[in-house]
Structures are given as structure tokens and as C-alpha cells.
Amino acid sequence: MSVSIVVPTLGRSTLRALLDALGPLPPEVELLVVEDEGRHGPAATRNRGWRSASGDWVVFLDDDVVPAADWYRRLLHDLDVADDVGAVQGRIRVPRPQGRRPTDWERATIGLEDGAWLTADIAYRRKALDEVGGFDERFPRAFREDAELAYRVRRAGWRLVRGGRTVAHPVRPESRWVSLRTQRGNADDALLRRLYGPRWRGLLQIPPGRRGRHALITAAAAGA
């Protein structure tokens, strides 16, 4: 079994913390840091990464996570799976704020802990990626592109499971306009509806959204 680790990045300062946490990897492990120089989005950048990779397994890590000290050891254990398993997701832990309630943005990040098939830390079997063609580059944002890939992999007959390795996902600082930017994901939802019909959320294992709540936040920000 050979392993390649693909990290798409926009050159954020968080990348250094990720690389430091990974530490010195065994020489047989391939690490590919792929910069999104043309701002084509994470789907296209991950595709460039895994298509250049040589491993039987391709592990996608976002550039703002921090792997636990035993991450690689647990990864090897996670990948010791049956031949029909196409992907193994790691576990995400989001640090909570101390002494106060989390903001809406922080709660949204905390929600990643329960998310299904997130590319913050997920390992795909190379055969599965080859079979379905990788990420759909019509999804330009870090939003829905991972769930859509997971659905096509499952539809192709592969099983997706959860592993035991963990990464921390600190909450990135954001401006007051983050809710406005979040609304851009509605275009991706519309594309999924066109592709998979009105039951797309259930098919892709995506929980009901908070569009009404986002609309309230947006209205309040616009009136401030």
C-alpha cells in the first residue's frame, strides 16, 4: 500500500502549522502541496493533485487543519480496510471559544464535526477516483464539491467509512460579511438540484440548511 497526501492551498499562513504537525513523514510517503494559482477552486486544485500523485491511496487535507501527533500512525490503521472501501474519512475536532458562546460563524465551523465525507481529512482509494473522474470542477467553492464526489463514489459501488485519526480545525478569523459570502453557495445548491433532482440533500447526505438564518444575518449586516 502506498500513500500520497494532497494539500490544496491558497498560500494561507495556516499551511505552516499543518506541515509542522505532519512532521517528518516516512520517505515512501508522497506529499503534494498544490497551490491554486489561478483561483480555479479547491475541486480543480485537488484534481491536479491526485492526478499527479502515485499512491494507491490519496489523502486530502485542507490547509487549515492541524493533524494530531499520532495522525499518520492512525492513518495506516484506517487504511487497512476491505477492498470494497473507496474512502476513509478522518475525525474533525473544532476548538471551542473560552468564556463565551460561539458566534454563528464559529457554530458553522463546529458543525464540521458531524459532516459526512469532508475533504478536510479524507483518504480516497486511487481506483475509486479514477473510476468516477475525481471532483466536479463545476463547483468552484469549498462547498458541496466533497459531498458530490462522495455520492458518485458510493453510486459506483464503493463503501465509505469513518476512521479513527483526528485533525483539529481551528476557526478562521472572518469579517462581518462572512454571511454574505456564504450565500454564494446557493448557486452550488441549485446545480445539485439540476443534477440530482429535489431529493439531492438526502442522496448526498447533506443536512437541511440554515438559509433562513443566513438571510436574517445578511439583512442585519446590510442594515448596520
Side-chain angles (χ1 to χ4, degrees), residues 185-205:
N186 291 341
D188 301 308
D189 288 352
L191 174 56
L192 287 172
R193 188 179 183 89
R194 289 198 302 272
L195 291 174
Y196 300 117
R199 296 176 55 247
W200 64 269
R201 282 188 181 274
L203 292 174
L204 274 66
Q205 301 180 1

Side-chain angles (χ1 to χ4, degrees), residues 79-90:
L79 300 185
D80 185 16
V81 290
D83 291 342
D84 66 337
V85 173
V88 186
Q89 179 178 314

Side-chain angles (χ1 to χ4, degrees), residues 153-177:
V153 170
R154 296 198 312 274
R155 192 173 60 179
W158 297 93
R159 286 194 298 127
L160 277 64
V161 301
R162 294 178 184 269
R165 67 192 186 278
T166 62
V167 297
H169 193 307
V171 180
R172 294 197 311 271
E174 283 291 352
S175 73
R176 62 186 295 190
W177 306 110

Side-chain angles (χ1 to χ4, degrees), residues 14 24 29 64 92 97 126 135 206:
T14 53
V29 177
D64 55 354
I92 300 170
R126 174 63 183 255
F135 293 88
I206 295 174

